[in-house]
Amino acid sequence: MKFNRILLSTALVVVALVVQVSVLARLQLPGAVPDLVLLTVLGLALVYGPVSGSLIGFGAGLLSDLAPPADHAAGRYALVLCVIGYVAGLARPDNGKLKSASGPMAVVVAAALGSTLLYAGVGALVGDTAARHVGLGFLLFTAAVYDLLLAPFTVPLIMALARRAENDPLAADSSGGTDVASGWLSSGTGLQIGTQRGGLRVKAARTRAARAGRIKGVKRL
């Protein structure tokens, strides 16, 4: 991995983990807990691809395993996020562009369900039956709902930061399509960022042309 990828990924994962432990875990919501660390891994994997996604997922999961108040064996969530990061990276399009938000939203739902199932499955292998007492079906439903509600406010921002850190021309070029981050924003929140920027540029150009015309008229007089 490139140094800028490592630096940005580490910073985003640490911030997500702090918010996860200090805020989201204390909301006492029924069922699962909104997984900001998972969403961070998804956002980075959708930009960097499967190999980087798996490495980021493993590191993020290992930090989550060691962060208090962890009550499970170290490496359990690291394995889960490593697999999720790799699979999510496979969903990254070759040209880095998506025309709608349906693709990333489907990835979020699949990741929420998959991570919950994998975590419960690994727990069953090591004798952890906590998921049985809560109800696996309820955990799956709440995990998908919570992550899907949180994703539009986090994943597009993470993807945009990852693109800028890569100095990717797709981050500034929206011709012929929409990149994965701006596509989510335009479809999921109704914000047409590229159109707004283009309108501002056209307006600025017209203003400069009008000023130049006035200056020429004054010189002729």
Side-chain angles (χ1 to χ4, degrees):
M1 290 178 63
K2 298 179 181 179
F3 177 75
N4 56 349
R5 288 188 181 186
I6 297 175
L7 186 61
L8 178 65
S9 302
T10 302
L12 290 176
V13 167
V14 170
V15 171
L17 183 59
V18 171
V19 175
Q20 177 83 30
V21 173
S22 61
V23 178
L24 298 179
R26 303 186 181 214
L27 293 179
Q28 297 182 350
L29 296 173
V33 176
D35 199 338
L36 185 58
V37 176
L38 172 65
L39 296 178
T40 302
V41 172
L42 290 180
L44 295 172
L46 286 172
V47 175
Y48 294 150
V51 176
S52 296
S54 62
L55 294 175
I56 294 170
F58 179 81
L62 189 60
L63 287 176
S64 300
D65 288 331
L66 299 177
D71 56 353
H72 55 269
R76 179 175 170 184
Y77 202 47
L79 174 61
V80 171
L81 286 189
C82 180
V83 174
I84 295 297
Y86 183 84
V87 175
L90 294 176
R92 177 184 182 272
D94 293 334
N95 59 358
K97 296 179 180 179
L98 288 175
K99 294 183 178 180
S100 69
S102 58
M105 291 174 67
V107 171
V108 169
V109 174
L113 298 177
S115 62
T116 304
L117 287 173
L118 283 174
Y119 188 81
V122 175
L125 293 176
V126 297
D128 184 359
T129 59
R132 297 180 183 177
H133 301 291
V134 178
L136 183 58
F138 186 59
L139 279 177
L140 291 171
F141 174 75
T142 52
V145 171
Y146 295 156
D147 290 348
L148 193 59
L149 290 176
L150 185 61
F153 303 100
T154 55
V155 177
L157 176 61
I158 293 169
M159 295 172 71
L161 291 174
R163 285 233 179 270
R164 288 191 176 276
E166 287 285 287
N167 295 320
D168 193 335
L170 289 176
D173 182 13
S174 58
S175 60
T178 311
D179 66 57
V180 284
S182 59
W184 188 311
L185 288 172
S186 61
S187 301
T189 63
L191 298 177
Q192 299 179 350
I193 297 177
T195 303
Q196 291 177 354
R197 289 179 178 174
L200 291 175
R201 290 174 181 174
V202 171
K203 185 176 180 180
R206 290 177 179 175
T207 303
R208 289 194 296 268
R211 289 179 180 175
R214 288 198 297 270
I215 293 174
K216 290 181 179 179
V218 173
K219 289 182 178 180
R220 290 176 182 176
L221 293 176

